[in-house]
Amino acid sequence: MRLSKLKENVVDRKISTAIRSKEGRKLINPGTKISNRVLDRLKKFGLNAIYIEDENTDIELKETLSKENRSHIISKLNNIYKNISKGNFEESELKELIKRKIMPQINNEPVNLPVGEILSEDDLAGHSLNVCLLSITTAMKIGMTKEKIEAIAKASLLHDIGKLIRNDNKGHEEKGFEFLKTHAASVLVYTTVRYHHETIDGKGPQKQPEEYQHDMVKIISLTNYYENLLRKEKLLPHEAFERVQSLVNIKFHKDIYEKFKESSYIYPIGLPVKLSNKEEGIIIRQTSNYPLRPMVRTEKKEYNLLEELSIFIEEVSL
C-alpha cells in the first residue's frame, strides 16, 4: 500500500484501507476502484490523502489504538461529554477510561495517529483523544511522575469541554476551568484546562507570562496546536510537524518540542519519500528509538536510516 494525495492520478487505482466515519462506520470498502465519482466523494468527506494498493503488499499499518479500541474510547468520551453538557461529571469514569483503555496501549512508544481518515472539526472526542495520546507520551519523555501523567491525560480529554457549556460571555478555556473547579477536579487539571492555549510569548487568550506556565500547559498547548493542524488545515503529520518546528522558541518551549519530536511518528507507513541520495521509496517500518529515521524501501534496497547515518529524508514525494 502507498499513501497518496487525492489527485486525478489516483483514478482507476484501488483503495487499500477502509474509509470510515468518525464513529468508525465503514463508508467505503478496501479494494474499491476509484472512479471520478468516488474521488469527488472522498474529497467531500474532507480527506486529502488515502492509502491505495500498490506492489508493497507486505507492509502493514501500525496505529497506537486499534479501530475497535478507538471507537470504544470515543463512545465512552462522548457519553462523558453529554453528561458534562447537562452539568454532570463523574471523574471516576474518566479515570477508569484512562487507566483501563488508554494507558495500556501506549507502551512507551511514539504515537501513531490514524492517517487517511476523516477528521471532522466538530469531533471533540476524536480531537481530545489524539491530544491525550500525544501529551501522555511527551510527558513520559520529560520524566513526569505517574500522578502528573494521569493529570495531563485528564486535562487533555477535558481541555475543550467549555465548548459544551452555554455562556456567550466567556471563552471555552474559562468555562471549562470554572466547571472543573466546582466539580472536584484537581488544581493541576483545571489550571491546565484554563491555560491550554497559552504560549511562551505570553500572547495566548489569558496573556499568561511563560514563567507562570507549568509543563503540562506547555505540552498541551503544543499538542493541541499540532492536532488542530491535522484536523482543521488537513495537513499530514510531517507538514504539521514542520509548522510546529517553525514556532519553537517563539510559541513553544524548545525542551517540550524536543520531547514531542521523540513522541510521535511523523512519517506514516506507506509515505512516499525522496532520500538525500536521490533514490525514491516509501516508508515501510518505523523505529521507536528515533521516529525521524524510519526504514525506507526503494527500487534498489531497503534503508534503515538508524544505521545509514549519511542518508536522510530530503523531501516527501506526495
Side-chain angles (χ1 to χ4, degrees), residues 3 11 19 54 59 66 89 106-107 154-155 170 178 201 229-230 235 237 240-241 243-244 249 252 268-269:
L3 193 63
V11 172
I19 307 299
D54 74 350
I59 63 174
S66 68
F89 175 53
I106 293 178
N107 296 322
K154 291 178 183 177
K170 295 182 179 179
E178 290 182 354
D201 57 4
L229 290 174
L230 303 177
L235 300 185
F241 177 81
R243 187 83 66 85
V244 169
N249 289 330
F252 306 118
I269 297 292

Side-chain angles (χ1 to χ4, degrees), residues 217-233:
V217 168
K218 292 176 181 178
I219 290 172
I220 294 185
S221 175
L222 188 156
T223 57
N224 178 60
Y225 179 81
Y226 173 83
E227 211 283 343
N228 274 325
L229 290 174
L230 303 177
R231 184 170 302 274
K232 295 182 178 181
E233 298 194 27

Side-chain angles (χ1 to χ4, degrees), residues 42-290:
L42 291 168
K43 289 179 178 178
K44 286 179 181 177
F45 287 153
L47 292 166
N48 65 347
I50 58 168
Y51 282 99
I52 59 173
E53 293 182 0
D54 74 350
E55 66 276 8
N56 297 287
T57 57
D58 60 326
I59 63 174
E60 296 181 1
L61 296 183
K62 180 184 177 184
E63 295 174 3
T64 299
L65 297 177
S66 68
K67 297 289 187 296
E68 294 75 16
N69 276 346
R70 175 171 284 272
S71 294
H72 175 79
I73 293 168
I74 285 177
S75 176
K76 292 287 187 182
L77 283 175
N78 280 328
N79 187 58
I80 290 170
Y81 297 153
K82 183 178 179 181
N83 288 332
I84 288 173
S85 71
K86 297 177 179 178
N88 303 314
F89 175 53
E90 291 291 339
E91 188 175 11
S92 59
E93 185 179 1
L94 186 69
K95 183 177 181 178
E96 190 71 8
L97 185 64
I98 292 167
K99 181 180 178 181
R100 302 292 183 191
K101 296 298 182 180
I102 296 178
M103 292 300 299
Q105 305 303 316
I106 293 178
N107 296 322
N108 292 316
E109 290 190 14
V111 172
N112 242 325
L113 298 181
V115 178
E117 294 192 1
I118 297 170
L119 295 177
S120 171
E121 289 189 33
D122 64 356
D123 181 10
L124 180 64
H127 165 68
S128 300
L129 177 56
N130 288 347
V131 171
C132 179
L133 295 171
L134 294 166
S135 297
I136 288 172
T137 51
T138 304
M140 286 178 168
K141 291 289 183 182
I142 287 174
M144 280 189 177
T145 64
K146 182 179 178 181
E147 178 188 13
K148 283 193 173 181
I149 289 171
E150 182 179 308
I152 202 170
K154 291 178 183 177
S156 300
L157 296 175
L158 297 169
H159 74 279
D160 272 346
I161 62 165
K163 295 177 179 179
L164 304 170
I165 300 167
R166 293 183 180 179
N167 184 338
D168 295 335
N169 297 321
K170 295 182 179 179
H172 73 276
E173 306 93 346
E174 196 69 16
K175 289 189 288 184
F177 161 72
E178 290 182 354
F179 177 88
L180 292 171
K181 192 174 181 181
T182 59
H183 283 78
S186 74
V187 174
L188 274 176
V189 172
Y190 65 66
T191 56
T192 303
V193 169
R194 186 182 202 179
Y195 298 121
H196 74 269
H197 277 307
E198 299 307 293
T199 49
I200 63 172
D201 57 4
K203 295 181 179 179
Q206 312 288 337
K207 302 293 186 292
Q208 189 188 50
E210 180 188 355
E211 57 265 31
Y212 296 115
Q213 299 171 22
H214 53 68
D215 282 349
M216 285 173 53
V217 168
K218 292 176 181 178
I219 290 172
I220 294 185
S221 175
L222 188 156
T223 57
N224 178 60
Y225 179 81
Y226 173 83
E227 211 283 343
N228 274 325
L229 290 174
L230 303 177
R231 184 170 302 274
K232 295 182 178 181
E233 298 194 27
K234 308 300 182 186
L235 300 185
L236 290 171
H238 71 281
E239 296 170 320
F241 177 81
E242 288 170 2
R243 187 83 66 85
V244 169
Q245 189 177 42
S246 71
L247 295 173
V248 173
N249 289 330
I250 300 171
K251 296 286 186 182
F252 306 118
H253 196 283
K254 186 177 186 297
D255 293 345
I256 301 296
Y257 159 77
E258 291 295 336
K259 296 306 179 183
F260 169 75
K261 185 169 68 173
E262 299 172 14
S263 304
S264 177
Y265 290 118
I266 68 163
Y267 295 124
I269 297 292
L271 184 72
V273 296
K274 180 186 287 186
L275 299 176
S276 55
N277 63 2
K278 307 308 176 186
E279 291 184 42
E280 295 191 357
I282 68 166
I283 308 296
I284 60 167
R285 197 171 306 129
Q286 294 160 328
T287 52
S288 60
N289 295 337
Y290 197 68

